[in-house]
Amino acid sequence: MNTETIEKAAIEASSNTLDVTSPLDGSTLAQIEIASAKTIEETVEKSAIAFKSWAVAPIRERVQILFSFKAKVEENIEALAAIISKENGKTQNEARDEIKRGLEIVEFATAIPHLGLETTLEVSRGVRCKTELAPLGVTVGITPFNFPAMVPMWMFPISLACGNTFILKPSEQTPLAALKMAELFQEAGLPDGVFSVVNGDRHTAQALIENETVKAVGFVGSTPVARSIYSLAGQHGKRALALGGAKNHITLMPDADPEIAASNIVASAMGCAGQRCMAASVLLMVGDCKDTLNEVVDLSKMIKLGSDLGAVISPVAKQRITGYIDKAEAEGASILADGRDIDSTLSENGNWVGPTIIDGVSKDSACSREEIFGPVLSVIHVDSLDEALAIENASPFGNAASIYTTNGATAEIYSSQANAGMVGINIGVPVPRDPFPFGGWNTSRFGVGDMTGAEGVRFWSQTKKITSKWTSKAAHSWMS
Ligand code: NAD
């Protein structure tokens, strides 16, 4: 047996449950079953059986269940948000917002029948070609901890509407929202086996990808895992789209509106405790933007941990984030707002890190280049837009890039030259809302296309091309 197999066997033998702990206070929220190899097999089999009837149900019937699911989620939004807040550490408001954003994809999926994506054309006299979107079969989604409801909702509504069945493997750190959504699907009348949740860690994810019956894999998470999942899926002949990590830059021009820019920059960098793949992580200040920086620092210091901002996911994450701050300080950067100073009224068992602004960071430091994934904004001073673009474009990531300016020409130059999949102009979190597709570039995405919008429909379906000829016998020949 190789090391991987021994490790796998040891895990299977030693423990089949996992404690879910709250980042807010370290309390144990639940113990969840880690799916055994047998459970994974059985779930996939059940999913394959369910596919037979789900795939042939008219799309209008399928989306009716998505309408009911949306209504169920809305009825239960506070309960679902409370689950997310407890297991992820974000605030109830942030949790509610993520559910609402996720529901926008459900809305999009219910509109797929109206998109007119299937076409027909008389390609030659009496000969018609038409395209039909066909489902793939059993599909899988592997998702991260930071949006326990929204990220799965980037995938399953579209996959289900397209006629696939779907198995969700949520993050082992935040599995409870997924289980609640499965319950709501059941109440919405989704047939058994069409949507399933399988809990576990990387071994569970790998077993799902390697299972012969699984046809497609959607992944969202860190870049090293996205890369390995994309490669594993390829080895097993599976279609895959894997979104990875990020290091997002905001360029601040001296002509930007200081109030708008400052409040947006703080919201982007600090919201969800910086644990967003779209969060601003580096602020590139072009020329003299002192007033805006002062405002950014003041606003960051006003954020109250606990009520305005949640905890980070784990003690390990907290250590990683504060480690980056320590390192930048040791390298001579100035800590203008220090998230290591924590309010003593917060639970000492929670994973708290406050808003942090690090000024005068070198473009080569770890803080400038690596994904910190915490409420930390590193400030780099540059002399020109070209210099800002050069730093931004040297990043191996390419998720989001934003500029704050009141000059249209500057905005045009920036948006045409920024090497990122999602660009913001006076928008700190440039998530393209539906029907526009979500997806980054470079090492922020492995695979072709985007996760949502019409590109999501392409990913979760395959095109059948049908050529037909219904002419009289006299006019019929073998040629088209
Ligand atoms: P992660 O990569 O550690 O885990 C994501 C999922 O992959 C989890 O379900 C986990 O169990 C599974 N997994 C972990 N290692 C695996 C392996 N070797 N093989 C197979 N599966 C494996 O990510 P995370 O810490 O949960 O989430 C944070 C990361 O997700 C950040 O890097 C963030 O930028 C990224 N993210 C990206 C986007 C995007 O749209 N690009 C969106 C949200 C989060």
Side-chain angles (χ1 to χ4, degrees):
M1 278 202 284
N2 62 27
T3 333
E4 174 90 343
T5 323
I6 294 168
E7 203 187 325
K8 222 169 178 172
I11 287 172
E12 296 263 331
S14 64
S15 145
N16 57 1
T17 60
L18 195 72
D19 282 348
V20 184
T21 48
S22 176
L24 298 169
D25 56 11
S27 61
T28 302
L29 299 173
Q31 271 203 331
I32 51 147
E33 290 276 329
I34 296 184
S36 63
K38 185 165 173 272
T39 306
I40 296 170
E41 281 282 331
E42 284 169 0
T43 309
V44 174
E45 267 169 38
K46 203 169 162 192
S47 192
I49 292 167
F51 174 73
K52 288 184 186 150
S53 38
W54 183 248
V56 295
I59 188 165
R60 279 173 183 278
E61 272 177 35
R62 295 196 294 257
V63 304
Q64 284 310 315
I65 296 192
L66 290 175
F67 278 116
S68 308
F69 173 72
K70 179 172 182 275
K72 286 281 165 202
V73 173
E74 281 165 344
E75 270 169 39
N76 291 275
I77 194 160
E78 291 308 321
L80 183 56
I83 291 171
I84 294 170
S85 172
K86 278 191 196 140
E87 68 175 351
N88 168 281
K90 63 179 68 175
T91 65
Q92 179 83 4
N93 285 343
E94 288 172 335
R96 191 184 308 109
D97 280 350
E98 88 153 84
I99 299 168
K100 287 184 179 168
R101 293 290 87 77
L103 285 179
E104 289 180 10
I105 318 287
V106 179
E107 287 167 14
F108 170 79
T110 61
I112 293 174
H114 307 282
L115 293 181
L117 293 173
E118 296 172 325
T119 52
T120 175
L121 183 73
E122 186 177 27
V123 291
S124 158
R125 197 168 294 267
V127 179
R128 291 207 157 265
C129 268
K130 69 172 177 174
T131 56
E132 278 180 10
L133 290 180
L136 302 165
V138 177
T139 62
V140 161
I142 299 160
T143 53
F145 76 82
N146 65 329
F147 287 101
M150 183 187 77
V151 170
M153 284 199 233
W154 285 352
M155 303 178 192
F156 66 72
I158 300 178
S159 179
L160 294 182
C162 288
N164 305 295
T165 51
F166 192 91
I167 302 175
L168 174 61
K169 205 300 281 170
S171 164
E172 58 275 45
Q173 299 181 98
T174 55
L176 303 179
L179 294 171
K180 181 71 185 171
M181 288 193 289
E183 194 184 301
L184 295 175
F185 255 136
Q186 215 170 24
E187 287 176 24
L190 190 72
D192 242 23
V194 174
F195 176 83
S196 325
V197 176
V198 160
N199 278 312
D201 55 15
R202 67 193 169 98
H203 299 296
T204 320
Q206 286 160 1
L208 284 166
I209 298 167
E210 287 169 4
N211 188 295
E212 269 188 22
T213 306
V214 169
K215 299 291 183 224
V217 180
F219 172 83
V220 176
S222 59
T223 287
V225 179
R227 193 194 294 274
S228 77
I229 287 212
Y230 186 66
S231 149
L232 183 68
Q235 283 166 36
H236 289 268
K238 309 292 165 72
R239 174 183 296 212
L241 181 61
L243 302 190
K247 185 76 182 172
N248 305 315
H249 299 69
I250 289 189
T251 294
L252 177 64
M253 298 303 290
D255 62 18
D257 181 299
E259 268 177 49
I260 294 177
S263 63
N264 282 209
I265 290 165
V266 172
S268 173
M270 309 306 167
C272 295
Q275 300 176 121
R276 279 194 292 215
C277 65
M278 297 295 279
S281 183
V282 175
L283 178 62
L284 296 161
M285 289 199 356
V286 180
D288 182 7
C289 302
K290 256 196 311 296
D291 291 347
T292 311
L293 180 59
N294 289 339
E295 184 72 8
V296 165
V297 174
D298 290 348
L299 290 174
S300 299
K301 286 183 174 170
M302 282 160 64
I303 293 173
K304 254 190 106 36
L305 261 191
S307 50
D308 301 334
L309 198 66
V312 299
I313 189 71
S314 64
V316 172
K318 177 178 171 164
Q319 208 173 17
R320 184 192 65 237
I321 298 161
T322 54
Y324 275 106
I325 308 170
D326 296 343
K327 194 154 184 253
E329 193 172 39
E331 287 169 357
S334 317
I335 315 297
L336 303 183
D338 193 344
R340 294 168 299 184
D341 295 337
I342 299 303
D343 179 346
S344 59
T345 59
L346 292 165
S347 162
E348 60 185 38
N349 295 325
N351 314 314
W352 300 100
V353 184
T356 301
I357 311 285
I358 311 178
D359 191 23
V361 173
S362 122
K363 70 179 172 46
D364 301 315
S365 74
C367 264
S368 307
R369 292 180 296 103
E370 296 168 14
E371 183 174 40
I372 301 175
F373 223 53
V376 179
L377 184 67
S378 304
V379 182
I380 301 179
H381 297 261
V382 295
D383 293 327
S384 63
L385 176 62
D386 283 349
E387 202 182 334
L389 275 164
I391 295 174
E392 147 82 48
N393 291 347
S395 170
F397 298 103
N399 219 37
S402 290
I403 189 166
Y404 277 84
T405 181
T406 47
N407 184 313
T410 306
E412 282 297 314
I413 292 169
Y414 183 82
S415 70
S416 67
Q417 292 188 18
N419 186 11
M422 293 172 279
V423 172
I425 296 165
N426 299 320
I427 301 274
V429 186
V431 173
R433 303 275 285 272
D434 276 80
F436 295 93
F438 184 100
W441 286 1
N442 310 325
T443 62
S444 294
R445 179 201 52 186
F446 298 85
V448 177
D450 291 317
M451 192 57 91
T452 60
E455 302 225 7
V457 180
R458 298 278 173 218
F459 178 74
W460 297 111
S461 62
Q462 53 195 339
T463 313
K464 185 173 278 182
K465 287 72 60 181
I466 302 162
T467 307
S468 56
K469 194 172 186 180
W470 293 102
T471 52
S472 66
K473 201 169 179 183
H476 211 103
S477 79
W478 64 272
M479 287 201 310
S480 60

